[in-house]
Amino acid sequence: MAQRDIAVPGIVGSSHRDLGGRPWHRWRRTIALGVVLLGLVGIVLAALAREALLPRSAVTVAVPPNPFAPPRPALTQAEEAYARGLWKIHDDVKLSAVRMTFAGLAYKAGEIDRRTLKARVDAARDVYARAEIRARALEPPPSLRRVHTDYLAAIRLYRQSAVEMAKLGADGREQHLLAAYPLSETASKKLLEVGDALWPGEYVPN
Amino acid sequence: MNKVARSVLLFALLTLTVSTGLPSAPAQSADMQYSVWLIESSRFMGVPAGAFMPDRAFVPGSSNKMNNKPFFDLPVNIGVIKGGRDIVLYDTGWKQQDYHKMTGTQHWAPIAQQLAQLGIKPEDVTKLVIGHGHWDHAGQLMDFPNAVLYVQKAELEGIEWALNYPNPHIRAVNTDPGGCARTPACGYPPLTLQEIYGKVLSGKAVIVDGEMEIAPGLIIHPAFRAHTAGSQLLEVHTAIGPLVFGSDSYSSWEGIRDWMIANPQQTDTVQQFLAYEKCYKITGGYEHCVAAHEPLSYSEGYPLTRNSWVGPNGSRAAEIVLAPGERSRKP
């Protein structure tokens, strides 16, 4: 109603004119529809023309696969399930391994005494003990039995290393740190080997 | 001799000591000139451009040279510095046998083979300066039985802080099996830290706190948070003027030239720019800044490294400058 009130009187008056036997407002609808259709066709034609004119190199860039996930046979469902289960344990083991290393560093730097060193190393040893129980509860598929055995061996080596380091707390002899070192070093290498089998891309370029 | 005369004599002696003693140390540093080579520990193939340099992220169809490359091949460069009684490595690369399928890597070769082409044996190396403690720059430390390691105290403190942070996502060495999304402890696997600890245990490590001249004309400069918490640069005096090695604080030489950040990890980008500025101040420009992962390394595109050749397993090496009397090692 309001629109009609403000419309230009002359145009409003022409809407009632008969043209070829049809009312003008019906012609107006047909013309509008035609304009809209023509516009749509124009847009499609313009888009096709633009695609055709673009340099081919710009639209056919080949994207190589993600380099951080080197191609390899996919893990089976059972292998995936094992890898997922071990990952949570692996997370705890890695953290404790690095914390144990830092306990040794802090002791050598004179920042902590031997009692604090023992407390930190004992905490790591407890994590390894729990990790071993959790890892043993996993059932690896036959294809990953060797990986599983390696991982258990790594945890045991870390635990032995922790036991050796903790002896320093009792007698103060730094020889224990030297004796513990190769055990942790071997365990750390085993962790990488397992990671390489189960979690490629665990360590990306830094 | 009365009191006044004794004072005058003491003053004279002190003046003499100061005037003869002080200039001698800088003069020795200024006179010392090192030979420098660059060797490629390995090459990370096809790293997404935007992952390496955010401002150079690939834009399909772009004709802008800053955005028209989808991937970079990144060398992992090690500096070899020889002078006086020292053979110094700046960064030590990584050992592929420990991580061999993880990285889409090519051209890795044992460090002993790579040094052999320069006539150097691992046991000849006297000092190892690591620009930071990430696995691909601080690996194979125990392959150098006689070398003393130089690592920043702030680097170790930064890692330890992260390990003890309450939030498990922040303290994790990896946040998920596919990586670690640049979290604080990311990039420091147990073996790498174990090897740093091994150097400390064997009495062959210096925990550096800030700036230190480790030999005449070889100066460590802190670049804290320019890549990691305790990143450090190494200024090296040579016949062509000072060079500055930057490890991953200088991941990209083009980044230094064009003032673009590269390889952000545990990085404060402001500090990375300040590390770039340090090279400009020391060397008078960007040409003598030595980058760890510059894709143009060993080519005309990075002129400092263009005097290059191909060595073991397709890895590359470059002879950057020779000290007077030093013979060329280029085949």
Side-chain angles (χ1 to χ4, degrees), chain B residues 10 16 27 79 88 161 163 168 173 196 243 256 263 286 293 315-316:
Chain B
L10 187 62
L16 187 65
V88 183
W161 170 83
L163 297 174
V173 178
I196 292 173
L243 307 178
I256 302 169
N263 198 4
Y286 57 83
H293 294 302
S315 66
R316 297 165 295 181

Side-chain angles (χ1 to χ4, degrees), chain A residues 105, chain B residues 128-134 138 141 148-157 159 188 193 196-197 199-200 204-210 212 214 220 224 228 230-232:
Chain A
L105 278 168
Chain B
L128 307 168
V129 180
I130 51 171
H132 63 295
H134 280 160
L141 297 179
V148 174
L149 171 72
Y150 292 80
V151 59
Q152 283 285 339
K153 187 180 178 195
E155 182 75 352
L156 301 177
E157 287 174 343
I159 304 166
Y188 300 100
L193 297 172
I196 292 173
Y197 173 52
K199 279 292 181 188
V200 172
K204 292 198 171 296
V206 175
I207 311 295
V208 182
D209 192 1
M212 177 184 274
I214 61 172
I220 286 174
F224 297 161
T228 60
S231 294
Q232 58 184 358

Side-chain angles (χ1 to χ4, degrees), chain B residues 230-301:
Chain B
S231 294
Q232 58 184 358
L233 317 173
L234 183 64
E235 176 184 344
V236 181
H237 291 189
T238 74
I240 57 171
L243 307 178
V244 181
F245 284 82
S247 191
D248 278 356
S249 299
Y250 296 174
S251 283
S252 163
W253 175 75
E254 285 192 304
I256 302 169
R257 183 194 64 196
D258 300 336
W259 293 93
M260 284 185 178
I261 67 144
N263 198 4
Q265 299 292 337
Q266 290 90 20
T267 305
D268 174 337
T269 53
V270 173
Q271 294 303 321
Q272 191 168 91
F273 282 129
L274 292 173
Y276 292 177
E277 186 200 30
K278 188 85 179 176
C279 188
Y280 279 80
K281 282 181 171 172
I282 291 172
T283 68
Y286 57 83
E287 291 89 348
H288 288 181
C289 312
V290 188
H293 294 302
E294 172 52 50
L296 296 173
S297 296
Y298 312 101
S299 77
E300 292 289 336

Side-chain angles (χ1 to χ4, degrees), chain B:
Chain B
M1 194 183 293
N2 65 29
K3 204 171 178 179
V4 174
R6 273 206 307 271
S7 298
V8 169
L9 184 60
L10 187 62
F11 179 75
L13 278 171
L14 275 173
T15 306
L16 187 65
T17 305
V18 167
S19 61
T20 55
L22 273 186
S24 67
Q28 197 182 12
S29 283
D31 290 346
M32 190 67 202
Q33 292 180 343
Y34 290 85
S35 299
V36 177
W37 297 269
L38 204 61
I39 56 176
E40 186 180 33
S41 173
S42 65
R43 209 175 309 159
F44 296 139
M45 307 303 288
V47 175
F52 181 55
M53 295 179 78
D55 298 312
R56 296 192 64 173
F58 178 58
V59 178
S62 174
S63 57
N64 183 342
K65 67 177 184 177
M66 287 295 154
N67 303 102
N68 63 359
K69 286 196 178 84
F71 299 99
F72 289 122
D73 294 339
L74 304 181
V76 179
N77 292 331
I78 297 172
V80 184
I81 300 144
K82 181 171 181 281
R85 295 177 180 173
D86 276 315
I87 295 176
V88 183
L89 299 190
Y90 181 79
D91 279 354
T92 52
W94 59 291
K95 189 175 282 188
Q96 187 165 23
Q97 69 190 48
D98 300 325
Y99 306 80
H100 62 152
K101 292 175 196 153
M102 290 181 175
T103 54
T105 290
Q106 290 181 18
H107 307 301
W108 183 87
I111 187 74
Q113 278 184 31
Q114 292 184 313
L115 289 175
Q117 61 188 327
L118 305 178
I120 294 170
K121 295 191 284 290
E123 53 268 33
D124 298 337
V125 176
T126 56
K127 293 181 171 74
L128 307 168
V129 180
I130 51 171
H132 63 295
H134 280 160
W135 65 272
D136 49 341
H137 295 263
Q140 26 196 29
L141 297 179
M142 300 311 271
D143 287 12
F144 303 98
N146 301 318
V148 174
L149 171 72
Y150 292 80
V151 59
Q152 283 285 339
K153 187 180 178 195
E155 182 75 352
L156 301 177
E157 287 174 343
I159 304 166
E160 195 174 21
W161 170 83
L163 297 174
N164 293 302
Y165 198 83
N167 185 309
H169 292 282
I170 292 176
R171 70 166 178 257
V173 178
N174 293 89
T175 50
D176 65 71
C180 44
R182 305 166 202 264
T183 52
C186 176
Y188 300 100
L191 183 61
T192 306
L193 297 172
Q194 182 77 15
E195 288 205 318
I196 292 173
Y197 173 52
K199 279 292 181 188
V200 172
L201 259 187
S202 58
K204 292 198 171 296
V206 175
I207 311 295
V208 182
D209 192 1
E211 188 171 307
M212 177 184 274
E213 184 163 24
I214 61 172
L218 278 185
I219 303 156
I220 286 174
H221 296 278
F224 297 161
R225 300 185 303 284
H227 181 67
T228 60
S231 294
Q232 58 184 358
L233 317 173
L234 183 64
E235 176 184 344
V236 181
H237 291 189
T238 74
I240 57 171
L243 307 178
V244 181
F245 284 82
S247 191
D248 278 356
S249 299
Y250 296 174
S251 283
S252 163
W253 175 75
E254 285 192 304
I256 302 169
R257 183 194 64 196
D258 300 336
W259 293 93
M260 284 185 178
I261 67 144
N263 198 4
Q265 299 292 337
Q266 290 90 20
T267 305
D268 174 337
T269 53
V270 173
Q271 294 303 321
Q272 191 168 91
F273 282 129
L274 292 173
Y276 292 177
E277 186 200 30
K278 188 85 179 176
C279 188
Y280 279 80
K281 282 181 171 172
I282 291 172
T283 68
Y286 57 83
E287 291 89 348
H288 288 181
C289 312
V290 188
H293 294 302
E294 172 52 50
L296 296 173
S297 296
Y298 312 101
S299 77
E300 292 289 336
Y302 185 5
L304 190 69
T305 67
R306 69 182 157 206
N307 186 22
S308 64
W309 68 95
V310 177
N313 194 28
S315 66
R316 297 165 295 181
E319 191 162 80
I320 292 178
V321 59
L322 294 174
E326 187 72 53
R327 66 180 173 81
S328 171
R329 307 300 206 277
K330 188 176 177 184

